[in-house]
Amino acid sequence: MRFETIGLIGPPNVGKSTLFNRLTGLRQKVSNYSGVTVEHRSGTLRHSSQTVIDLPGVWTLTPHSDDQRIAVAVLRGEGAHLPKLDAVLLVVDGTQFHKYSMLIGEVLACKLPTMLLINMADELQQRNGFIDPLAIARELGTPTALISAARGTGMEAISNWLNHENASSSILPVLQKGGNAATCAPDCNSLTASGAYRRPSHSAFTRAVDRWALHPVAGPILCLAFLLAAFQVIFRLAYPAGQWLTNWLGIIGVKAGEALPDNILRAIAVDGIWNGVASIVGFLPQILCLFLVITMLEDSGYMARAAVIADRTMGRVGLNGRSFLPLLSAYACAVPAIMATRAIPSKRDRLATILIAPFMTCSARLPVYALLIAAFIPAHALLGNLLGLQAAVMMMLYLIGLLAALLTAWLLRSSVMKGQASMFAIELPNYRLPRLRTIGLAIVDRTKVFLKQVATVILVLNLVIWFLAHLPLQNGHAGDVGSSFLARVGDWIQPLLHPLGLNRAVGISLLTAFVARESVVSTLSTLYNSVHPGDALRADIGMAGALALLVFFALAMQCTATLAVVRRETNSWTWPVAQLAYMTALAYAGAFVTYRLALLLHL
Amino acid sequence: MHLAELTQGQKAVVTGVAQGEAFCQLCGLGVIAGAEVEIVRQLSRRNMLVVRVDGSDMAVTSVTASTIKVRPE
């Protein structure tokens, strides 16, 4: 009998996912375990129908978080709707073999057919370490192989064992003689004494770099320099690429629309569906770029140092260094940022990070800022010619978002999420060159998740808003936005907007912004029937209203995609709804105060 | 004595880790009874420690480090 369902288990960061990708190619699917937000990754082995499940990383079989609980339940065969395993591949990092003796012992005690895979054999050898897999197989009584998932060595030993070919003679001599040794943890001291194990030496290069990377002064400067470089790439390359992609898809939509008969169906297909898809796909270059930067920083080992450096600053508002990366990503887009919070071990810190991430000024807010600033703020020079007034206002808006995030984090930690500072301990792995394969696979993987999970939600919501904006029908054609159901909602909320100095057109555009923030610009164009709505706005809402609108926009959570992803990641409607209410209230209050102050100052 | 009380450059052997939120993660980092530890560096006014555990490096806050009992060498 072959093993049909095979579980891949091991601690985090030992190359488990690399091995999983290596074993399955890209024939894999990602879903959630029912009832929890733990990702269920399974795939089919190359050249066979056997299923491999990539279980969440565990250090011990005493589970401490949701994903670890799932991993342990699957391994022990508990739980009715969880898959049953026929065999286990236990992956550990050969360069740190001595750390895993406890886990190895625990997994073997589960009594499933288990093969121990000692990964990173190439690095072990490079760093002058040594492991004799036969000696370990003999001691544990279970097949053991040295592999390198990144380079693809040792893969035939795995497939031989999984298919019961070759009788594993090369990996396990003991069982062939009929002896079934008792399962136990490897004893590294005796293995070392017998010469079967030699610990690799820590890289001198890493220590030399860390002297600077963790330096109290040079460290933060270096970290900021990396960040600025990453942002430059995202804003200078990825953002324009996304805009170009959206425009180009839009043109295709118009061209294709001309081929269709002019009726309501065409309007739905082109405006409702195609343009919605185009605006989602426009985010893709940014998300790709963001994951490229993140994966490179992670794979090189620098991310751990950045978390250490950020921990001090973040600690002041009760956050933890691990929240740094997701919050940083939120400057591009809150959706992948909230997906990236999965790496935060403490549930409380993770939730706090999810709740404040949408305050970070995401790239979709930029077109709106650009429109309003160009229309209202005069192009005065400040500080000589160093800084323009317009650029200063833009920076202020970024700052407002950041301050609101920090304030919210502090409020959360001193009220709902009160408690001791959560623990922080992080490994400082050896630096290494990021590997193209790892980066490529991570990007492909995340893109698939993004497109599948978010695009479906955005698409549906897009359609709903589109219908609201174009119904009731006029002579069988889609109606004008100005007389639609959405406009009626705009009329209802108009009394609310009046204290902010805003008019009905702005109100309607704020409603359409829920689908995609940048659609404010296009909605205003439609309502004012002008390509440059800024001029018309200047006559309608004045400087005070414009400033109020900017502040409102900086603080409000106007993004259905973010709401959807928060709902998915927190697995409840409570948090996204509370978050929406809180951010809207804060935005409203902020805009009101801004409007009143601006009026007082006669702006 | 606990890990946060050691001075820079001092070596010690772990005698135990307090049960709690940090326990699981620390044992994953190799901080188990018998492990050799050394303070490599103290950062941000001793709030963050870079610790060498059995030859590999990790960073830990002093609050978390105070849950690790050690015997200085």
Side-chain angles (χ1 to χ4, degrees):
Chain A
M1 188 201 86
R2 286 195 317 181
F3 300 130
E4 289 307 327
T5 314
I6 302 138
L8 204 56
I9 197 157
N13 304 321
V14 295
K16 203 156 54 70
S17 301
T18 316
L19 177 65
F20 179 67
N21 289 329
R22 179 71 73 178
L23 289 173
T24 59
L26 288 172
R27 295 191 298 154
Q28 38 181 275
K29 54 176 190 225
V30 182
S31 54
N32 274 8
Y33 286 97
S34 57
V36 283
T37 57
V38 178
E39 263 181 15
H40 179 296
R41 288 172 172 276
S42 60
T44 321
L45 270 192
R46 288 183 182 186
H47 318 300
S48 117
S49 61
Q50 291 148 293
T51 309
V52 188
I53 302 169
D54 187 9
L55 292 167
V58 286
W59 288 112
T60 70
L61 294 196
T62 323
H64 284 255
S65 69
D66 272 353
D67 41 356
Q68 293 176 346
R69 251 185 288 282
I70 290 281
V72 172
V74 172
L75 195 65
R76 297 208 166 121
E78 297 157 352
H81 43 262
L82 295 176
K84 292 262 180 285
L85 300 181
D86 298 325
V88 176
L89 293 172
L90 170 60
V91 193
V92 297
D93 174 358
T95 63
Q96 306 190 350
F97 186 71
H98 53 278
K99 287 185 185 173
Y100 306 118
S101 50
M102 197 157 131
L103 178 68
I104 295 171
E106 285 177 329
V107 172
L108 292 181
C110 291
K111 301 279 183 201
L112 280 165
T114 304
M115 182 177 196
L116 175 63
L117 301 174
I118 302 173
N119 195 10
M120 311 209 185
D122 49 338
E123 206 183 316
L124 178 75
Q125 199 183 3
Q126 257 170 37
R127 284 169 51 192
N128 199 24
F130 174 75
I131 293 177
D132 177 5
L134 284 182
I136 290 172
R138 234 176 267 127
E139 181 174 334
L140 298 177
T142 201
T144 303
L146 268 176
I147 64 164
S148 164
R151 282 173 200 251
T153 55
M155 295 300 127
E156 54 310 319
I158 301 175
S159 69
N160 286 345
W161 181 68
L162 291 178
N163 295 311
H164 298 267
E165 288 164 7
N166 231 351
S168 339
S169 61
S170 61
I171 41 178
L172 183 60
V174 178
L175 287 188
Q176 290 218 299
K177 292 178 201 151
N180 202 346
T183 52
C184 60
D187 178 356
C188 286
N189 291 335
S190 72
L191 284 171
T192 311
S194 67
Y197 175 57
R198 184 173 67 236
R199 214 163 63 191
S201 43
H202 199 83
S203 135
F205 170 75
T206 295
R207 287 192 175 146
V209 174
D210 270 348
R211 209 164 290 222
W212 291 103
L214 293 175
H215 190 273
V217 182
I221 294 176
L222 207 67
C223 186
L224 272 179
F226 271 126
L227 296 187
L228 284 178
F231 268 84
Q232 286 291 322
V233 173
I234 290 171
F235 284 120
R236 294 267 161 105
L237 286 176
Y239 184 69
Q243 297 274 300
W244 177 82
L245 199 61
T246 307
N247 288 341
W248 188 69
L249 287 172
I251 292 169
I252 291 189
V254 172
K255 289 262 154 66
E258 281 165 4
L260 295 172
D262 183 14
N263 59 19
I264 180 74
L265 280 178
R266 181 179 96 171
I268 293 174
V270 175
D271 297 337
I273 298 177
W274 181 260
N275 285 350
V277 170
S279 71
I280 301 159
V281 174
F283 284 118
L284 205 55
Q286 285 178 61
I287 288 172
L288 287 183
C289 197
L290 192 67
F291 279 117
L292 176 78
V293 172
I294 291 173
T295 322
M296 266 169 57
L297 287 179
E298 242 167 354
D299 204 43
S300 67
Y302 183 74
M303 207 45 103
R305 279 79 180 179
V308 170
I309 289 169
D311 188 73
R312 182 179 178 189
T313 325
M314 319 226 20
R316 297 211 175 128
V317 289
L319 284 170
N320 177 305
R322 287 183 189 261
S323 308
F324 173 69
L325 167 72
L327 290 180
L328 184 70
S329 325
Y331 277 106
C333 178
V335 172
I338 287 166
M339 285 170 13
T341 58
R342 290 180 180 206
I344 302 173
S346 152
K347 222 173 172 175
R348 197 179 53 185
D349 288 345
R350 182 170 174 220
L351 188 57
T353 312
I354 290 177
L355 293 180
I356 66 171
F359 276 118
M360 301 310 191
T361 305
C362 71
S363 50
R365 282 179 173 116
L366 272 179
V368 187
Y369 287 176
L371 170 84
L372 289 169
I373 287 176
F376 286 92
I377 310 293
H380 283 319
L382 292 178
L383 305 169
N385 276 330
L386 269 181
L387 186 68
L389 183 59
Q390 294 187 329
V393 171
M394 184 75 99
M395 279 170 64
M396 281 294 294
L397 290 169
Y398 271 83
L399 203 63
I400 288 174
L402 181 66
L403 287 178
L406 294 181
L407 175 80
T408 307
W410 179 79
L411 280 176
L412 280 172
R413 285 310 302 265
S414 44
S415 59
V416 194
M417 297 178 195
K418 216 170 188 154
Q420 220 194 351
S422 58
M423 62 88 52
F424 180 81
I426 195 166
E427 191 191 350
L428 301 172
N430 275 330
Y431 288 109
R432 62 175 184 212
L433 269 182
R435 280 170 297 211
L436 276 179
R437 197 189 155 81
T438 315
I439 295 172
L441 282 169
I443 289 176
V444 169
D445 193 53
R446 284 288 112 183
T447 310
K448 266 161 86 180
V449 172
F450 174 78
L451 283 180
K452 193 180 143 204
Q453 305 271 5
V454 183
T456 44
V457 178
I458 296 187
L459 195 60
V460 170
L461 288 166
N462 242 337
L463 268 175
V464 169
I465 298 265
W466 185 86
F467 273 111
L468 284 176
H470 292 88
L471 290 179
L473 295 178
Q474 289 164 348
N475 311 325
H477 283 268
D480 182 34
V481 181
S483 55
S484 64
F485 287 133
L486 196 66
R488 278 180 225 173
V489 180
D491 289 337
W492 289 339
I493 63 168
Q494 204 183 352
L496 280 174
L497 293 172
H498 189 68
L500 307 183
L502 303 178
N503 64 4
R504 176 166 166 269
V506 174
I508 297 171
S509 71
L510 284 177
L511 290 176
T512 58
F514 269 105
V515 176
R517 284 191 173 99
E518 62 273 32
S519 69
V520 164
V521 180
S522 60
T523 310
L524 283 174
S525 305
T526 319
L527 290 173
Y528 280 120
N529 204 8
S530 144
V531 194
H532 301 291
D535 303 330
L537 265 182
R538 201 154 43 213
D540 267 9
I541 60 175
M543 176 66 109
L547 289 177
L549 182 57
L550 280 172
V551 170
F552 184 87
F553 226 81
L555 298 177
M557 187 189 187
Q558 292 216 296
C559 182
T560 37
T562 310
L563 276 174
V565 81
V566 172
R567 151 80 186 93
R568 191 165 76 91
E569 296 295 318
T570 59
N571 208 25
S572 92
W573 275 111
T574 321
W575 290 112
V577 168
Q579 188 178 20
L580 177 67
Y582 167 76
M583 288 183 69
T584 310
L586 192 69
Y588 191 85
F592 180 74
V593 171
T594 311
Y595 181 61
R596 289 290 140 189
L597 275 177
L599 284 185
L600 272 178
L601 296 169
H602 300 289
L603 283 174
Chain B
M1 195 168 190
H2 57 70
L3 183 60
E5 291 173 320
L6 296 181
T7 50
Q8 188 152 337
Q10 203 177 353
K11 288 184 184 175
V13 174
V14 175
T15 53
V17 180
Q19 284 286 343
E21 199 193 352
F23 175 76
C24 168
Q25 216 191 334
L26 285 172
C27 77
L29 290 166
V31 185
I32 40 177
E36 284 173 29
V37 288
E38 179 192 342
I39 306 283
V40 181
R41 181 167 217 167
Q42 291 162 333
L43 300 167
S44 52
R45 300 199 198 109
R46 309 190 53 161
N47 278 326
M48 178 74 75
L49 307 169
V50 177
V51 185
R52 191 156 300 165
V53 184
D54 276 339
S56 37
D57 291 2
M58 69 164 191
V60 61
T61 52
S62 55
V63 179
T64 306
S66 61
T67 65
I68 303 167
K69 275 197 173 257
V70 294
R71 188 183 61 238
E73 273 183 354

